[in-house]
Amino acid sequence: MNALLEQFLSESRDFLQGIGEKLMQLEDEPDNTEFMVELFRFVHTLKGNSGLFDFPEMTRVLHASEDLMDSVRNGRVNYSQTLADQLLEAMDFVSVLIDEIEGTGELSNQYTNTSAALAKALRALIIDTNLGSDSEAVAILLESSGALEESVEFNVSELELPEATAMQSYRDLKIGNSVIWLMYTPDPECFFKGEDPFFLVRQIPEVIWSSITTSNNAPLAEMDAYDCKLTFQVITSADISELHELFRYVPEEVRFEIITQANDLISPMGEHNNEPVYDDFIEQAQTLLAKNNTEGLRQLTSTMLELSSPALWCSSALRWLLLILELDETNGALHSALLESLHTFSLTIPIIESVVSDEKLLAENDTVHVETVTNAKIDEPTESNSVHLSKEEQARVNAIIHSQKEILNLPNTNNAWLVGRLKAVALTLKGCCQALHKNEALENLDEALNDALAQSSSEPLLVWLETYSKDFESLVEETVETAEITTPAQITNDEVIQETQKPIALKATESEANTEKLDASPEIKFNRRSEDASAAASKTLKVDQEKIDRLMNLIGEMVVAKNALPYLANRAETVFGVRELSREIKAQYAVINRVAEEMQDTIMQVRMMPVSFIFQRFPRMVRDISRKLGKEVHLVLEGETTEADKNIIEALADPLIHIVRNSLDHGLESPEVRAAAGKPAEGKLLIRASQESDRVLIEIIDDGKGIDPDVIKNKAYEKGLIDETTLERISDQDAVNLVFAAGFSTADVISDLSGRGVGMDVVRSAVEKVNGTVGIESQTGKGTRLFLSLPLSMAVTNVMIIESNKQIFGVPMDMVVETVRVPFNQIRNIKQKQTTVLRGRIVPLLSLNDLLAQNVEQVANEDKEFATLIVRVHGENVGILVDDFRETVDIILKPMVGILGGLSGYSGAALLGDGSVLMVLNPRELI
Amino acid sequence: MGIEYKKALAIFSENVSVEDAEGLLDWLVKNPKGKINLAACTHIHAANLQVLMVVKPTIAAESKDENLQKWLNWALAN
């Protein structure tokens, strides 16, 4: 999942929360326009955000909500309870969608219908309260929604499909494929929305037949090429879910009908002939049919077909007969009907439920499921009056009955629940009775329920259950009996019906309660689902940074406390002489050390942020500034996913903005100048972040005019930053580095962008504050490269402990180049300064005691060697003489606060494992 | 790209976009006997389809794209 989507999801949850809250507040103060405006804003933003992604279901609902809120805001629609309910419903739906996206990364098309229904319900509210107004849009809305509503009863036979198409559909249906007819009427304005309905239709898989019509009857001269009046009709054997997926952007413009009645497709067509040549054939065929000789009938039909002209109606009928003989052998009535039709040229298809295909469809699609269930229920009484259950089904019925008993036997403690409980039980039992055709029991059930409700007790229902429970249990035997009575021929037919209808009936019972509720109020409820899901789904946690800081401090202390263990082990051995204990402490220390390090690592991870956090503001900034300056700049961002500690990232923001501004203002030239210099008119500014071991490297590279060292030198001299001798001696690189000097500015005019002389100096100190370094490289005429190097995390600092004048100090390891022992006799004095030659290079030496203003000589070891710490400061190696080196430790560096905060020679202090305080030096400031 | 208009023949390129529909209609109105060559065409935007359906010009060459031609047959059948 990409970062943008993640952010969208997390933000959307916040918005949904906000919308919910505002709606609640509005309940109390329905006239508060401020809430209203805010609510609109939330919905509006959420809609806009969702539009960035490919979630049409979500956007559709939000768009409708937005329109509704807009009407409310403008006072065209009054705020009402139903409106709030509908909006909350919509938001619950959106939240379900968000859960789904979070879980799977995408949105399945199962929500298309619900989304369209919700959007319609929302839009209906805009219209409802607005009926009196003369708004044209409303009228159109009403019209279009109405058109969809009263869709005419669909009948395949009216489509007049070509014979081949009908036959193929019939074949598909018979072999168990679903066959779907769809009608797609694109919006007349759709060409302006970038839609291509024809392209969309061409994407439909498994197309069997199509008809494309246009209702455009205007004279050619007046025809508008961009007024879409097309209607597409398609018959396909594709999966309904695929079609929903395909048309998910325009669900309101498509109508799907699933063709279930294969027999409807049988429609022979062709010329009518008057010759009575078929009489003999029909007679013969009927005889064969009566004898159940399908093979004979097939041969006879084929022969007859060869003799007739293919264009005749009768030939068509014969072709159908052949097809049916092949696919639906047992359907004698249908065969006979087709033969009969040869006399009359009109086919009356005997009404036979094609149960098999019904059931297949049922498994495939839920919406059809409901319809079929209702059909099945209506049909049941006429089809059969006794019920046959398999053992499994019987067990299920028993389970249902049993659980109803349990419910009824529950102690009656809360009257408020009793009524509902009784009704629910009665409803379930009613479903059972209907499914199993226990009509007598059914009649008494209502009475029992009424009694129970009147008495506020479950007794009457229990009595009823006792009376009839035997009926439910004895069904298995009945099955056997009925099966024996029926004739063999009927058995096959019956079994098919029973097999298919039992599961349907049972499902009907189970879902009875739900369906009935749905019938009463056709709204879709998401509340429960969304509540269930949100508990599990929300994976991101927003935490106050203070808490994380506190956690980090605690871990820091933990590290310190842990570091005390080796001291303890040491004491156990040396002071108390218990070597065993010492070893055990050390072993235990190893474990604690591992856990502590892992903890520290984890908390670091928590604090990590991608640099894109600051990078994302650059495109806009660069665009604005370059416009202002009349420059053309192409900004390239690289390595946005590089991560660093939050503090580092935040500390980086201002310096980076400064640098980018500088590059735009001083670095890149105007298009004319660039063209004259033979460069492309558009300047390139590259901002790149990368990770180098434990540091983040950020480079800002432009291909501008670069920095001219001579100009810098002169400016610096003018401003008194360097003296005359330096001016002559200074190298080009050093001159370029002068831009970091305090008070330096090359710009003659102070603009609102830069030129106040605080620029790069501020950048440097800001970067150094977080232990970073900044450098610059430039080639006149070619461009400038600025680079910042920052630690990944500033929480743990690795320091080297040194000793000087009987005190210990820490020096950050990242500044230490090496440690050497310089013999006394190799120290030379140049003027008043001590120096030595190290690998052929002169290194100035400074005594730490001098630096700290302690009037004590450094102590050398027995061999008259001085411990020298070579540190790198501002790109130069400097030796610091100390008394001795100690080990290196990881410490949590705490910056100095209060009065001590002014001591820039120290970067902070830390606690050591033995409880002593370690002062950490800041050699940069010291020297 | 789009449609190349000859004296009495409009040659459709591979993909004819929505912008071409207006031009096509104009051309067909001015050249009522203009014929259409679809040989190279693989898709036409629905707007062009509608123009063809309404004007019903003679198709000089059918599309070599079988799928497109199948759909065009359905569309131009009546």
Side-chain angles (χ1 to χ4, degrees):
Chain A
M1 201 181 295
N2 66 37
L4 192 62
L5 182 56
E6 264 172 36
Q7 196 178 353
F8 165 70
L9 291 176
S10 116
E11 271 182 17
S12 301
R13 282 193 204 289
D14 290 349
F15 276 126
L16 288 174
Q17 176 82 24
I19 292 170
E21 273 172 24
K22 284 283 162 281
L23 278 170
M24 294 303 134
Q25 287 170 335
L26 271 172
E27 306 252 282
D28 298 333
E29 300 175 58
D31 297 325
N32 190 323
T33 42
E34 201 176 295
F35 287 159
M36 200 76 79
V37 170
E38 206 156 327
L39 184 58
F40 170 77
R41 200 172 50 79
F42 278 152
V43 178
H44 175 73
T45 319
L46 193 53
K47 184 211 90 180
N49 287 351
S50 77
L52 292 173
F53 305 94
D54 185 25
F55 304 134
E57 287 85 4
M58 189 188 286
T59 314
R60 189 176 306 121
V61 169
L62 287 169
H63 195 127
S65 311
E66 184 198 10
D67 286 350
L68 178 58
M69 280 318 297
D70 192 38
S71 312
V72 175
R73 190 179 59 148
N74 296 331
R76 278 187 276 123
V77 174
N78 292 328
Y79 179 85
S80 70
Q81 193 69 42
T82 37
L83 188 144
D85 287 348
Q86 198 64 52
L87 270 176
L88 282 173
E89 192 97 309
M91 293 312 136
D92 284 340
F93 174 67
V94 173
S95 141
V96 169
L97 295 186
I98 289 176
D99 289 344
E100 163 107 8
I101 296 165
E102 187 145 44
T104 63
E106 58 192 1
L107 216 47
S108 67
N109 55 16
Q110 55 166 315
Y111 298 108
T112 315
N113 290 333
T114 327
S115 155
L118 271 173
K120 215 171 87 188
L122 287 166
R123 295 202 184 278
L125 281 173
I126 308 180
I127 301 155
D128 266 351
T129 32
N130 220 345
L131 221 48
S133 87
D134 54 356
S135 161
E136 226 173 272
V138 173
I140 290 165
L141 262 174
L142 261 178
E143 200 176 282
S144 60
S145 60
L148 273 171
E149 268 310 280
E150 20 176 296
S151 47
V152 201
E153 193 72 8
F154 168 75
N155 192 349
V156 193
S157 43
E158 281 166 20
L159 289 176
E160 294 185 359
L161 297 175
E163 187 182 300
T165 311
M167 280 187 167
Q168 198 188 333
S169 314
Y170 183 83
R171 193 181 283 272
D172 271 323
L173 264 181
K174 281 295 172 191
I175 60 171
N177 287 347
S178 61
V179 174
I180 294 158
W181 171 83
L182 73 86
M183 185 161 91
Y184 170 37
T185 317
D187 181 22
E189 297 283 295
C190 74
F191 293 158
F192 296 104
K193 294 189 213 157
E195 289 173 20
D196 184 354
F198 185 41
F199 184 77
L200 190 59
V201 169
R202 282 186 70 185
Q203 305 306 307
I204 302 175
E206 314 286 338
V207 173
I208 299 172
W209 169 86
S210 169
S211 151
I212 307 171
T213 49
T214 171
S215 57
N216 205 329
N217 297 322
L220 279 193
E222 286 166 31
M223 180 182 160
D224 179 358
Y226 295 120
D227 182 15
C228 180
K229 288 188 174 162
L230 293 167
T231 305
F232 298 85
Q233 290 184 67
V234 176
I235 287 188
T236 163
S237 57
D239 204 50
I240 183 85
S241 59
E242 267 180 85
L243 297 176
H244 278 302
E245 170 79 31
L246 196 58
F247 287 97
R248 63 200 293 218
Y249 288 94
V250 286
E252 59 280 348
E253 293 165 12
V254 198
R255 185 178 155 204
F256 296 103
E257 295 290 347
I258 297 166
I259 302 175
T260 49
Q261 299 298 330
N263 291 347
D264 283 356
L265 290 164
I266 307 171
S267 53
M269 51 184 73
E271 294 165 31
H272 294 194
N273 58 338
N274 299 319
E275 301 156 55
V277 286
Y278 291 95
D279 286 351
D280 285 353
F281 164 75
I282 296 166
E283 209 170 294
Q284 248 180 313
Q286 292 286 26
T287 331
L288 283 171
L289 191 61
K291 286 182 190 158
N292 242 340
N293 185 349
T294 2
E295 191 48 45
L297 183 58
R298 189 173 298 150
Q299 278 174 6
L300 184 69
T301 317
S302 310
T303 325
M304 192 65 216
L305 192 56
E306 278 167 29
L307 293 173
S308 343
S309 149
L312 293 177
W313 194 95
C314 293
S315 306
S316 174
L318 287 174
R319 281 192 294 269
W320 271 109
L321 183 57
L322 272 181
L323 183 72
I324 296 161
L325 279 172
E326 178 191 337
L327 296 167
D328 199 358
E329 288 187 359
T330 53
N331 202 336
L334 187 58
H335 304 160
S336 170
L338 262 172
L339 287 173
E340 279 304 315
S341 72
L342 294 176
H343 282 303
T344 55
F345 297 122
S346 72
L347 180 65
T348 357
I349 292 164
I351 294 156
I352 299 156
E353 289 280 311
S354 66
V355 201
V356 182
S357 51
D358 268 1
E359 196 215 10
K360 287 228 161 93
L361 281 166
L362 176 81
E364 278 167 22
N365 190 297
D366 273 346
T367 44
V368 189
H369 164 80
V370 180
E371 283 167 25
T372 332
V373 167
T374 21
N375 286 340
K377 273 196 322 206
I378 298 162
D379 293 346
E380 269 162 25
T382 55
E383 296 249 349
S384 66
N385 269 320
S386 56
V387 175
H388 320 280
L389 293 185
S390 71
K391 283 207 168 139
E392 254 176 57
E393 288 159 352
Q394 179 63 49
R396 265 190 258 169
V397 173
N398 287 346
I400 293 173
I401 303 292
H402 186 71
S403 53
Q404 301 315 312
K405 258 187 212 166
E406 271 181 19
I407 295 171
L408 289 175
N409 282 325
L410 285 175
N412 182 13
T413 45
N414 191 337
N415 265 330
W417 289 354
L418 182 70
V419 179
R421 203 189 282 157
L422 290 174
K423 280 185 180 165
V425 169
L427 209 53
T428 315
L429 292 173
K430 201 169 158 190
C432 285
C433 290
Q434 278 170 348
L436 304 170
H437 305 308
K438 300 285 167 207
N439 291 339
E440 189 198 326
L442 192 59
E443 281 162 27
N444 292 335
L445 178 62
D446 282 344
E447 283 174 33
L449 174 64
N450 288 339
D451 288 351
L453 287 175
Q455 294 170 23
S456 298
S457 114
S458 49
E459 204 53 43
L461 276 173
L462 270 174
V463 172
W464 180 89
L465 208 54
E466 284 302 317
T467 326
Y468 292 99
S469 61
K470 284 214 179 77
D471 279 22
F472 289 113
E473 278 152 19
S474 59
L475 284 163
V476 180
E477 287 81 20
E478 273 180 41
T479 317
V480 183
E481 281 165 31
T482 14
E484 274 166 6
I485 301 160
T486 44
T487 63
Q490 275 172 315
I491 286 178
T492 39
N493 213 355
D494 269 8
E495 267 176 2
V496 177
I497 297 169
Q498 301 303 351
E499 285 288 291
T500 52
Q501 292 205 332
K502 274 308 89 46
I504 298 171
L506 275 174
K507 269 183 203 160
T509 9
E510 280 160 353
S511 62
E512 189 86 16
N514 292 335
T515 11
E516 293 222 354
K517 267 179 204 161
L518 272 178
D519 286 344
S521 59
E523 296 153 295
I524 316 99
K525 295 281 174 201
F526 294 99
N527 296 332
R528 262 186 64 191
R529 159 104 210 256
S530 63
E531 270 164 27
D532 290 350
S534 64
S538 174
K539 276 184 207 138
T540 35
L541 190 63
K542 278 195 179 170
V543 182
D544 196 342
Q545 203 196 327
E546 267 179 35
K547 287 185 185 164
I548 298 283
D549 287 345
R550 196 171 137 70
L551 191 58
M552 206 168 77
N553 284 339
L554 284 172
I555 289 172
E557 279 175 38
M558 170 93 175
V559 169
V560 171
K562 165 206 85 178
N563 284 345
L565 285 179
Y567 287 94
L568 185 63
N570 213 15
R571 268 168 64 86
E573 195 174 334
T574 53
V575 181
F576 304 105
V578 214
R579 174 166 280 213
E580 293 282 287
L581 183 61
S582 155
R583 200 174 300 139
E584 271 178 39
I585 294 175
K586 274 181 189 157
Q588 201 57 39
Y589 167 74
V591 177
I592 297 176
N593 192 36
R594 185 174 52 81
V595 177
E597 269 173 14
E598 218 160 289
M599 266 167 73
Q600 208 175 336
D601 225 48
T602 315
I603 199 77
M604 288 307 145
Q605 292 293 329
V606 172
R607 293 175 53 90
M608 287 292 198
M609 267 171 89
V611 289
S612 58
F613 178 74
I614 23 178
F615 276 20
Q616 64 194 7
R617 62 183 88 173
F618 287 133
R620 177 73 199 277
M621 197 185 97
V622 169
R623 184 187 148 276
D624 288 355
I625 295 180
S626 55
R627 281 276 168 80
K628 203 181 226 169
L629 297 170
K631 293 178 180 176
E632 287 171 31
V633 182
H634 175 55
L635 174 71
V636 184
L637 297 175
E638 280 178 20
E640 288 155 287
T641 49
T642 315
E643 287 192 327
D645 189 274
K646 184 166 186 284
N647 285 350
I648 304 280
I649 295 286
E650 277 168 357
L652 203 58
D654 283 340
L656 261 185
I657 289 175
H658 224 107
I659 294 170
V660 171
R661 269 190 197 163
N662 260 325
S663 289
L664 290 172
D665 199 8
H666 307 301
L668 294 165
E669 317 92 324
S670 53
E672 303 83 53
V673 180
R674 288 183 66 90
K679 292 197 251 186
E682 192 183 56
K684 186 177 165 192
L685 183 63
L686 170 70
I687 307 180
R688 182 198 291 150
S690 54
Q691 194 179 339
E692 253 180 30
S693 68
D694 61 342
R695 296 184 81 81
V696 193
L697 192 69
I698 295 182
E699 293 165 279
I700 301 97
I701 304 168
D702 66 54
D703 65 347
K705 63 184 174 209
I707 299 170
D708 187 346
D710 293 329
V711 176
I712 303 284
K713 278 186 222 170
N714 291 330
K715 279 278 174 188
Y717 177 60
E718 266 173 41
K719 303 221 171 193
L721 292 172
I722 50 172
D723 53 31
E724 210 159 332
T725 44
T726 324
L727 175 68
E728 277 161 23
R729 275 207 325 252
I730 196 164
S731 73
D732 281 359
Q733 180 61 47
D734 288 343
V736 170
N737 279 337
L738 280 174
V739 294
F740 291 119
F744 183 86
S745 171
T746 48
D748 299 318
V749 187
I750 292 176
S751 73
D752 61 342
L753 284 175
S754 47
R756 290 196 178 79
V758 283
M760 299 312 269
D761 168 40
V762 175
V763 169
R764 194 190 58 172
S765 51
V767 171
E768 282 177 359
K769 210 178 259 171
V770 291
N771 259 329
T773 53
V774 53
I776 192 165
E777 280 168 9
S778 181
Q779 263 185 297
T780 318
K782 291 236 177 107
T784 313
R785 172 173 172 266
L786 249 155
F787 48 94
L788 313 177
S789 165
L790 300 145
L792 274 185
S793 149
M794 48 195 282
V796 174
T797 322
N798 190 230
V799 296
M800 174 166 212
I801 297 178
I802 48 161
E803 196 182 317
S804 185
N805 194 20
K806 290 175 194 130
Q807 296 172 54
I808 55 166
F809 300 97
V811 179
M813 270 304 274
D814 53 356
M815 296 191 69
V816 177
V817 181
E818 60 178 325
T819 56
V820 286
R821 294 200 181 260
V822 182
F824 175 71
N825 55 13
Q826 285 192 11
I827 296 177
R828 305 261 184 282
N829 277 5
I830 298 179
K831 292 191 181 165
Q832 260 89 59
K833 305 250 167 100
Q834 290 183 312
T835 54
T836 188
V837 178
L838 196 65
R839 291 189 206 101
R841 293 190 64 166
I842 298 171
V843 178
L845 294 178
L846 299 163
S847 145
L848 185 59
N849 287 345
D850 283 351
L851 290 172
L852 296 173
Q854 288 172 331
N855 211 358
V856 187
E857 284 285 314
Q858 296 296 152
V859 184
N861 64 3
E862 298 95 32
D863 301 333
K864 296 241 168 183
E865 288 171 335
F866 286 103
T868 310
L869 195 65
I870 309 290
V871 292
R872 196 170 181 84
V873 178
H874 300 322
E876 263 185 81
N877 288 353
V878 179
I880 297 177
L881 297 180
V882 297
D883 288 359
D884 204 359
F885 307 122
R886 295 267 195 96
E887 73 277 23
T888 64
V889 283
D890 279 341
I891 49 141
I892 310 278
L893 188 63
K894 309 266 168 155
M896 310 256 249
V897 286
I899 299 172
L900 291 177
L903 297 174
S904 59
Y906 297 99
S907 51
L911 266 184
L912 284 181
D914 60 357
S916 59
V917 175
L918 178 74
M919 300 297 284
V920 179
L921 299 169
N922 181 357
R924 258 188 220 103
E925 295 289 327
L926 266 182
I927 296 166
Chain B
M1 284 307 283
I3 308 174
E4 191 189 335
Y5 298 103
K6 296 278 170 69
K7 225 177 215 171
L9 184 69
I11 302 169
F12 280 45
S13 72
E14 209 170 297
N15 191 354
V16 180
S17 73
V18 63
E19 286 87 5
D20 298 313
E22 195 148 39
L24 177 64
L25 179 62
D26 285 349
W27 185 80
L28 283 172
V29 169
K30 280 180 204 146
N31 304 280
K33 289 192 178 165
K35 292 181 183 174
I36 308 291
N37 179 336
L38 290 164
C41 189
T42 54
H43 180 71
I44 61 173
H45 187 277
N48 297 289
L49 179 70
Q50 183 170 248
V51 171
L52 291 183
M53 286 172 69
V54 173
V55 184
K56 294 192 183 71
T58 316
I59 305 295
E62 293 197 337
S63 169
K64 286 180 188 148
D65 183 316
E66 282 174 25
N67 181 280
L68 175 66
Q69 191 52 47
K70 180 178 79 182
W71 282 99
L72 288 176
N73 287 341
W74 278 324
L76 305 173
N78 8 337

